[in-house]
Amino acid sequence: MSRTHHCYELTAKNTGQTVTLAGWVDSVRDHGGILFVDLRDREGLTQVVFHPTVEALAPHFNALKPESVIEVTGEVSPRPEDTQNPKLKTGAVEVMAATMVVHNVSETPPFPMDDETGDKVNEDLRLTYRYLDLRRPRNLKNLRLRHEAAQSVRNYFNGQGFLEVETPTLFKSTPEGAREFLVPSRLNAGSFYALPQSPQQFKQMLMVAGVEKYYQIARCYRDEDLRADRQPEFTQIDLEVSFIDREGMYALIEGLLTEVWKDILGVDIPTPFPRMSYEEAMNRYGVDKPDTRYGFELVDLREVFKESEFKVFSGTIKQGGVVKAINMKGLADITQGELKFLEDTAKSLGAKGLAYIQARENGWRSPILKFMSEKEQAGLKETLNIETGDIVFFAAAEWEKACAILGRLRLEAAKYLEKRGALNIDPKAYNFLWVIEFPLMLFDEEQGRFAAAHHPFTSPVPEDIPLLDSDPKAVRGQHYDIVLNGVELGGGSIRIHQPELQQKVFEDVLQIPKDVVESRFGYFLRAFQFGAPPHGGIALGFDRMVAILAGKNYIRDIIAFPKTQKGQDLMANAPSPVAGKHLKELHIEALSEE
Ligand code: ASP
C-alpha cells in the first residue's frame, strides 16, 4: 500500500503533486459522465475527480458506490474558484484520478451514513451494524476522544509514580450487592469463577504486597437489571494508594480531573473542589449526588407545621419525621400530565400522595390549603419565598425518605422548567463536588437491613470507632464520592487495614456469620496479619467521564460495542444458547424456559 496522505491534509500547497489516497467512497456526483467522489478516511474528506476518458479508470466506474473502499492515485489540482468548499479543510483542491485500485465494493448500507440522518436511525438497527454506525465521523470522533482521555489519565498517574497493574477478570464469587456473572470451571467440576464487580480486593492485596501506588483502567461486570444508562460491563479508572489520607486523596483526584479537563476540553477547573457532607447534600438537594448548577433547594418546615391542625404534617413531626418542601419557581402552569407524573414518581418512592400549592394570579390553589391556618400560610410564604407563578411540593415522612422524594421531584420539575425555557442549565458548567462524611452503614430497602454504605472495607472515621458497639448507625465512614453536575463520577474510601477491626466490621457490624466471613474473606483477613500498610483508593466511572467530556447523554454512545437494555450484543448475537455437549464439558445443565 502506498497511501501518501490522509484525506484531511491536501491544500493548495500540494498543487501539482502526485498523491495516493485510500478510503471509503462518501458520495458520488455525476456531472455529465464525470464522477466527483468525496473520498473519506478516518481523518477527513477529499474530492476526487474521475474522467471516463482515463483508460485505467473506466473498468472500475461501477465500483464507485458509497462505502466502497478504493485507493486512488492522481495529481492535486486547484478547484475552480466557484467550486471551492470553504467548509472543508481540503476544499480548495481536488485530486484528478489517474489510476485506482478497488479493494472492496460495498452493498448499499442499511441506513444513511451521514451524521445528521444517521443519528436518527433506530438504535437496534445501528447496533446490529455497529461497524457501520461507528464508521460515521461523529462516532469515530468519540472513540478518539475516549482514547485521548485514557492517555491523559495514564500520563497523569505515570507522572505521579503509579504502577499500572492488571488484575484477573476470573475471580471468586462474593455474592453481595450487585449480581455477578458466573463462569463455570471445566477443570473444577461444580465450581465457578465470578467476573469481578471491581478489582477492590486485588488492589488492596497489591497494597499489602508493597506496590504503594496502583492504577488500572479496569473492566468491571455487574449482572444487574439495566436501567437507562447502565452496561453489564463497564470501565473504571481504578486506583489504590498506601500511606494516604482523605486530604491526600482529594488532592490527587483533583489533580487528575483538572488535567484531563485541560487536556481534552482545554478548560481550567478551579481547585480545591467544594465539599459537602452527606447530611447537607440530602438536606439541601435530597440526593447524595447533587446537581448544584441550579437551586430549588429543599426547605425544612418543621417550625411552621409542628403545631398544625393538619395532622398529616404535625403527626409526622411528632413521630420524629420531617416536613420538607421545594419551591419550583415559575412552574405554576404545570400540566395535569406533568403533575400526574410527579405524583407517580413520589408514590414510587414511598409517598402516599403529592401535596402541592400553586401560586396563581388569582390566589393559591391547593388541595391542602383548607387545612392550613393563616399563620401557617404566612410562614410558608416567607420560608419558601412563594411568589405568583410558583409551585411548591411537600413531603412528610422520615428524614431520608422525605429528602429522597423531593430530591427526585426537584430533578424532574427542573426538566419541565428547562423545556419551557424558564431554566437554562449551562452545559459547559462543570460543578465538581466532593460528598463526604457518609454514614458507614445505610439502610438497604431491598435487603431490609443495614448494609455497608460503600463496601465493607471502608474504615470508620477514627473518632467514631468507639461507637461501633454502642451506636453503629451513627458511625461515619472515611468514604468520599466525587460528583459532577448530579452524576456520581466515582467513589472510594480510606480502608481498614487492621485485621481485628476488619473482622469486627464483618461479624459484629454487618452481621455476616463467622463461617461465611472465613470462606469469603479468610485470605483477606490473613493478609492483613502480615504487614498491611494504611491505604485508600477510589474508582471513577471512565465511561461516564468520557460521555460527559463528549457532551453525550448516554454511555453507550462512547462505548465501541455497547449492549442493549437487555444486555444483548445485537451485532454478534450474544448471549446465545450453546450445545448440550459444551455444557456437559462444563459440568452444568441448562433449565430451559419451556
Ligand atoms: N471498588 C469501589 C467501587 O467499585 C471503589 C473503591 O472503593 O475504590 O465502587
Side-chain angles (χ1 to χ4, degrees):
M1 301 267 168
S2 52
R3 172 194 257 170
T4 58
H5 293 79
H6 271 106
C7 289
Y8 76 108
E9 277 176 294
L10 301 174
T11 63
K13 288 198 192 109
N14 300 91
T15 301
Q17 287 176 8
T18 298
V19 299
T20 299
L21 302 176
W24 288 261
V25 173
D26 193 74
S27 61
V28 186
R29 292 174 301 280
D30 185 340
H31 286 203
I34 303 171
L35 299 188
F36 290 82
V37 168
D38 277 341
L39 191 67
R40 186 187 73 235
D41 64 16
R42 203 181 77 174
E43 311 291 338
L45 287 179
T46 302
Q47 177 162 292
V48 186
V49 185
F50 294 81
H51 274 276
T53 50
V54 180
E55 237 170 72
L57 300 177
H60 300 304
F61 265 43
N62 283 345
L64 293 176
K65 325 166 33 183
E67 300 313 314
S68 286
V69 180
I70 62 170
E71 197 172 313
V72 58
T73 301
E75 201 180 297
V76 180
S77 147
R79 287 201 214 177
E81 194 108 355
D82 56 334
T83 67
Q84 293 194 0
N85 180 356
K87 281 196 219 124
L88 202 62
K89 254 185 131 179
T90 58
V93 295
E94 55 198 5
V95 172
M96 310 307 289
T99 60
M100 73 186 283
V101 179
V102 176
H103 288 303
N104 189 289
V105 180
S106 180
E107 288 191 21
T108 304
F111 51 81
M113 298 286 293
D114 67 286
D115 277 334
E116 296 311 323
T117 344
D119 271 358
K120 295 189 190 105
V121 171
N122 169 286
E123 192 173 26
D124 282 359
L125 183 65
R126 283 192 281 129
L127 290 179
T128 305
Y129 294 91
R130 182 63 169 163
Y131 44 88
L132 290 179
D133 192 32
L134 279 180
R135 198 188 287 164
R136 297 190 299 126
R138 195 169 282 175
N139 285 336
L140 281 181
K141 195 168 138 225
N142 288 335
L143 281 192
R144 186 187 298 244
L145 184 142
R146 187 180 174 107
H147 159 79
E148 284 164 359
Q151 287 314 105
S152 172
V153 168
R154 288 203 165 92
N155 286 342
Y156 177 75
F157 286 121
N158 297 345
Q160 299 274 335
F162 279 68
L163 302 188
E164 183 174 3
V165 182
E166 292 157 88
T167 55
T169 53
L170 291 178
F171 185 48
K172 182 183 169 68
S173 166
T174 54
E176 262 176 300
R179 289 213 186 91
E180 17 171 62
F181 286 96
L182 287 178
V183 183
S185 165
R186 183 176 59 82
L187 298 178
N188 302 274
S191 288
F192 294 79
Y193 301 100
L195 302 182
Q197 296 175 27
S198 89
Q200 184 64 34
Q201 294 184 38
F202 286 115
K203 66 177 173 173
Q204 291 195 245
M205 289 304 104
L206 289 173
M207 295 303 104
V208 180
V211 168
E212 295 199 17
K213 289 177 167 189
Y214 140 91
Y215 84 96
Q216 179 182 196
I217 299 193
R219 190 60 56 84
C220 305
Y221 306 85
R222 290 181 198 171
D223 189 12
E224 289 172 298
D225 292 333
L226 301 181
R227 279 188 258 137
D229 200 24
R230 293 261 175 93
Q231 286 281 315
E233 52 182 308
F234 57 96
T235 308
Q236 290 196 332
I237 304 168
D238 192 49
L239 60 128
E240 196 75 11
V241 185
S242 294
F243 310 110
I244 194 165
D245 58 11
R246 282 175 285 177
E247 289 299 330
M249 190 58 73
Y250 302 151
L252 179 72
I253 297 305
E254 287 172 11
L256 168 73
L257 292 169
T258 48
E259 186 154 316
V260 171
W261 254 250
K262 184 80 191 164
D263 282 354
I264 305 300
L265 299 178
V267 169
D268 287 304
I269 305 284
T271 56
F273 298 166
R275 299 176 194 176
M276 193 180 286
S277 72
Y278 167 78
E279 194 180 337
E280 184 182 347
M282 291 298 285
N283 258 332
R284 290 175 56 192
Y285 298 96
V287 67
D288 60 4
K289 45 180 182 183
D291 190 339
T292 55
R293 288 174 303 172
Y294 56 90
F296 311 118
E297 293 188 18
L298 281 55
V299 172
D300 193 309
L301 296 172
R302 272 176 293 188
E303 270 311 305
V304 179
F305 288 114
K306 65 177 187 243
E307 304 298 342
S308 176
E309 292 292 306
F310 186 34
K311 295 292 175 233
V312 178
F313 284 2
S314 55
T316 304
I317 297 168
K318 285 207 176 72
Q319 282 164 24
V322 297
V323 176
K324 293 180 82 101
I326 42 171
N327 181 355
M328 296 306 300
K329 289 207 138 304
L331 192 61
D333 66 345
I334 192 164
T335 66
Q336 280 306 315
E338 288 168 338
L339 197 56
K340 170 88 172 58
F341 179 79
L342 294 187
E343 187 178 352
D344 290 346
T345 304
K347 283 184 177 164
S348 75
L349 294 169
K352 293 200 184 67
L354 178 59
Y356 62 89
I357 293 176
Q358 278 166 299
R360 300 234 178 128
E361 295 285 352
N362 50 0
W364 286 10
R365 260 192 43 171
S366 161
I368 58 166
L369 205 57
K370 54 180 178 281
F371 302 115
M372 290 181 194
S373 68
E374 267 181 25
K375 185 165 162 239
E376 284 160 10
Q377 291 186 26
L380 262 186
K381 187 167 187 270
E382 197 195 314
T383 321
L384 282 155
N385 180 27
I386 304 174
E387 295 166 310
T388 302
D390 295 353
I391 187 165
V392 172
F393 297 109
F394 297 87
E398 49 91 13
W399 176 73
E400 218 157 23
K401 192 194 265 183
C403 293
I405 291 167
L406 291 180
R408 267 289 283 288
L409 296 185
R410 174 178 174 268
L411 292 180
E412 298 299 339
K415 285 185 208 156
Y416 295 153
L417 285 171
E418 263 197 297
K419 221 167 56 189
R420 286 165 168 73
L423 172 67
N424 292 313
I425 302 175
D426 179 0
K428 295 224 153 56
Y430 299 105
N431 282 21
F432 286 95
L433 174 74
W434 287 108
V435 178
I436 56 174
E437 299 198 357
F438 283 81
L440 191 64
M441 307 211 300
L442 283 172
F443 192 75
D444 185 326
E445 296 278 353
E446 246 168 61
Q447 301 184 48
R449 64 179 176 88
F450 278 88
H454 185 44
H455 51 51
F457 315 114
T458 297
S459 173
V461 169
E463 57 271 28
D464 291 356
I465 289 180
L467 296 174
L468 273 177
D469 290 313
S470 55
D471 189 6
K473 291 175 199 98
V475 176
R476 290 163 300 167
Q478 296 198 52
H479 165 186
Y480 31 76
D481 274 355
I482 180 74
V483 172
L484 169 57
N485 297 348
V487 174
E488 183 192 324
L489 210 52
S493 58
I494 301 299
R495 326 294 186 187
I496 299 169
H497 68 283
Q498 310 89 332
E500 310 76 29
L501 181 59
Q502 183 67 77
Q503 188 133 16
K504 186 179 178 64
V505 168
F506 283 144
E507 289 178 15
D508 300 346
V509 183
L510 295 170
Q511 307 267 309
I512 307 176
K514 208 177 177 63
D515 56 326
V516 179
V517 170
E518 177 54 34
S519 72
R520 265 187 223 161
F521 302 113
Y523 87 92
F524 194 84
L525 288 167
R526 228 151 5 258
F528 282 5
Q529 287 162 357
F530 294 100
H535 59 285
I538 191 167
L540 296 116
F542 184 62
D543 304 301
R544 210 150 274 172
M545 184 176 99
V546 174
I548 293 172
L549 289 167
K552 292 283 168 189
N553 290 330
Y554 302 107
I555 62 171
R556 57 184 186 272
D557 290 336
I558 49 76
I559 292 175
F561 299 101
K563 298 196 172 48
T564 64
Q565 294 279 90
K566 286 182 80 183
Q568 291 169 332
D569 172 343
L570 295 179
M571 182 180 75
N573 191 23
S576 53
V578 296
K581 181 169 149 275
H582 193 172
L583 288 179
K584 217 172 195 164
E585 259 178 16
L586 296 168
H587 320 285
I588 53 176
E589 245 179 284
L591 297 173
S592 65
E593 283 288 305
E594 313 96 70

